[in-house]
Amino acid sequence: MSAKYDVIVVGGGAAGFYAAIHIASGNTGLKVAILERGKSVLSKVKVSGGGRCNVTHAEFDPGTLVKNYPRGEKELLGPFHTYCTGDTMAFFEERGVPLKIEEDGRMFPVSDSSQSIIDCFTGEADRLGVQVLKHSSVTDIVQLGDNGNPIWEITTIKHAYTTKKIVMATGSNPKIWTVLKNLGHTIVAPTPSLFTFNIKDERINGIPGLSTPARVSIMVKRVFNPNITITLRSQKATETLLEEEGPVLITHWGLSGPAILRLSAWGAKVLNEYGYRFKIRVNWLPDFNPAQVLPYLMKIKEVEAKKTVLRTKAVNVPRRLWTNLVQSAGLQRTTTWADVSKVQLQNLTEQLTACTFQVDGKSTFKEEFVTAGGVDLKEVNFKTMESKVLKNVYFAGEIMNVDAITGGFNFQNAWTSAYVAAQAIVKR
């Protein structure tokens, strides 16, 4: 005998809890349950932002906010006009979890602990009578009755449940995508969206943990692959495919930081087609170009003639990086500015403003693991988040082909889509 519910939310993450809370508070007469496949809920919330939970971003204009979504920009504009960053802040503050804005726009709970968000969600779900059923991995979803007013049967590894309405909030779950595909949905093949670049290079070797502003460009690669457009194929390897400016973090395995992660998001599809092997060019002096830096170094050569180049950090880059770049330009530790040739100055200028690296692979950015791909956006009604293929089935969060750059934007998509879905369910 199947247990009966009015609404079942599949997925005990951020979007799932947000949807369940808004459904249960909007209509206290509804019997609502959350099915979570794991032994604990909200695991991604717990590790987000280094355990502080980057709840959202301080961008309050929907038209500007959508610019942070490589996939979903057009579709999210309407939902963001319905429910945006300010609404998210109000939700948490009304429940005793005030948020703060950091210099870079990221927003965190004042407590600096993701546990504040988890306690808020689990407490609200408990207060509203939402049943949270753990160890309930969904194996199948079947439609009962006619298309006009279907009842859905959800089978898990433990039990079967029937429900009038479903909110699918499972994030990037290949098994659920397969279930949805079998029900008639189109699934855009998943590719990683937030990742760091694996680079082995003497210029960044031995200085992990160093962070500095830079401008990073991904260079176009000649790849003779039918999936890549003719335009891309014909471009030269010196042309820029994508460019971002911001902090770059040198790691044990290569390069990370906001600029790299934004590039990985915007370039997710093409970099996947490149097999994650491509070249990047880094300008460690993002406010300057080679034509400005070379004359400046020539002036330093005159003024600091007796000093060694290695010890005279002539530009605003971290000292350990300066040391590596000077040596890569072919200068010895004892070389004085007076002894530097023009060719060596040109080499140093290139290392500072057009430093080329070979990327060989990627590493997952664990705190904010995001995947591009999922339910095709053409098959979702973004006014209600209801499926256009399956009646009374709604979507929230990353289960859809929506993803964002790092900084709290993926969570804002979760809050907004969950809220819109909840309102549509309550109104019905």
Side-chain angles (χ1 to χ4, degrees):
M1 189 80 178
S2 301
K4 295 182 179 179
Y5 289 91
D6 295 303
V7 184
I8 287 180
V9 178
V10 183
F17 265 85
Y18 213 70
I21 289 166
H22 281 288
I23 292 164
S25 61
N27 186 340
T28 55
L30 293 176
K31 190 178 179 185
V32 183
I34 295 173
L35 300 182
E36 166 55 43
R37 63 176 172 170
K39 63 180 180 180
S40 61
V41 295
L42 300 160
S43 55
K44 190 170 178 180
V45 170
K46 189 167 183 64
V47 300
S48 163
R52 294 196 298 146
C53 190
N54 184 186
V55 177
T56 185
H57 201 93
E59 178 49 70
F60 300 92
D61 173 51
T64 308
L65 181 59
V66 293
K67 301 295 183 188
N68 297 286
Y69 295 81
R71 283 146 289 275
E73 177 182 340
K74 180 181 69 174
E75 291 82 3
L76 286 174
L77 184 59
F80 283 155
H81 274 288
T82 299
Y83 196 88
C84 204
T85 312
D87 301 298
T88 301
M89 290 183 73
F91 172 88
F92 287 109
E93 291 188 1
E94 286 165 9
R95 290 159 178 80
V97 187
L99 306 182
K100 62 177 179 177
I101 302 171
E102 301 207 334
E103 279 186 24
D104 59 4
R106 292 182 302 161
M107 296 175 69
F108 295 88
V110 171
S111 66
D112 273 331
S113 172
S114 58
Q115 196 61 44
S116 299
I117 306 298
I118 293 169
D119 291 345
C120 171
F121 283 161
T122 54
E124 279 292 276
D126 186 54
R127 182 181 70 81
L128 293 163
V130 175
Q131 292 188 38
V132 181
L133 307 171
K134 301 172 187 175
H135 298 287
S136 296
S137 181
V138 171
T139 56
D140 201 12
I141 299 174
V142 177
Q143 179 181 322
L144 307 177
D146 60 59
N147 290 330
N149 194 26
I151 296 293
W152 293 97
E153 183 178 65
I154 301 175
T155 306
T156 72
I157 54 174
K158 285 184 173 181
H159 304 287
Y161 306 90
T162 56
T163 181
K164 296 172 185 175
K165 292 178 172 62
I166 305 174
V167 179
M168 301 299 297
T170 50
S172 305
N173 185 330
K175 289 181 180 178
I176 295 298
W177 281 333
T178 299
V179 170
L180 290 170
K181 189 174 182 180
N182 291 338
L183 287 168
H185 261 291
T186 304
I187 304 299
V188 177
T191 55
S193 177
L194 285 180
F195 49 87
T196 61
F197 295 172
N198 292 355
I199 299 168
K200 288 185 178 179
D201 195 290
E202 286 300 315
R203 290 167 294 182
I204 57 172
N205 191 32
I207 52 174
L210 188 150
S211 180
T212 186
R215 187 185 309 120
V216 186
S217 308
I218 293 176
M219 313 313 295
V220 170
K221 178 181 178 181
R222 284 180 176 271
V223 178
F224 294 93
N225 182 318
N227 295 323
I228 297 181
T229 63
I230 297 295
T231 315
L232 270 182
R233 245 190 262 166
S234 62
Q235 285 175 309
K236 297 175 183 176
T238 53
E239 289 187 55
T240 299
L241 177 72
L242 289 165
E243 188 172 88
E244 285 286 345
E245 188 174 321
V248 170
L249 174 67
I250 296 172
T251 69
H252 288 286
W253 59 88
L255 294 178
S256 183
I260 300 296
L261 294 169
R262 287 199 293 269
L263 284 171
S264 75
W266 288 106
K269 190 170 184 293
V270 174
L271 298 183
N272 178 258
E273 290 168 344
Y274 282 177
Y276 304 104
R277 281 167 176 76
F278 52 93
K279 287 185 178 180
I280 61 170
R281 190 169 55 215
V282 180
N283 182 349
W284 301 106
L285 303 171
D287 294 331
F288 302 96
N289 60 45
Q292 295 169 307
V293 174
L294 181 58
Y296 173 73
L297 293 180
M298 292 176 76
K299 188 70 177 175
I300 296 291
K301 174 180 165 68
E302 294 176 17
V303 176
E304 306 285 4
K306 294 181 180 179
K307 295 181 179 178
T308 62
V309 178
L310 202 68
R311 292 198 173 188
T312 313
K313 188 166 73 74
V315 293
N316 188 26
V317 297
R319 179 163 292 281
R320 289 181 298 163
L321 178 61
W322 167 260
T323 299
N324 285 5
L325 296 179
V326 166
Q327 292 175 328
S328 293
L331 298 165
Q332 302 301 312
R333 300 184 70 87
T334 55
T335 304
T336 63
W337 282 99
D339 294 332
V340 178
S341 68
K342 186 173 181 180
V343 170
Q344 287 175 317
L345 285 180
Q346 288 171 333
N347 289 343
L348 182 54
T349 299
E350 184 173 328
Q351 293 298 331
L352 290 166
T353 61
C355 202
T356 303
F357 294 97
Q358 175 66 43
V359 176
D360 285 305
K362 60 175 175 53
S363 293
T364 302
F365 184 57
K366 291 174 184 168
E367 288 180 4
E368 301 250 9
F369 179 65
V370 172
T371 300
V375 175
D376 194 319
L377 303 186
K378 296 188 190 74
E379 298 175 355
V380 181
N381 177 355
F382 276 82
K383 290 181 179 177
T384 60
M385 305 312 299
E386 186 177 10
S387 165
K388 292 179 181 178
V389 178
L390 308 169
K391 190 173 175 59
N392 294 339
V393 175
Y394 299 78
F395 298 110
E398 289 175 37
I399 189 170
M400 297 176 285
N401 185 27
V402 173
D403 63 284
I405 63 173
T406 184
F409 300 104
N410 282 297
F411 272 137
Q412 187 56 51
N413 167 48
W415 315 138
T416 295
S417 54
Y419 176 84
V420 171
Q423 293 308 299
I425 288 169
V426 168
K427 285 173 184 174
R428 280 196 177 177

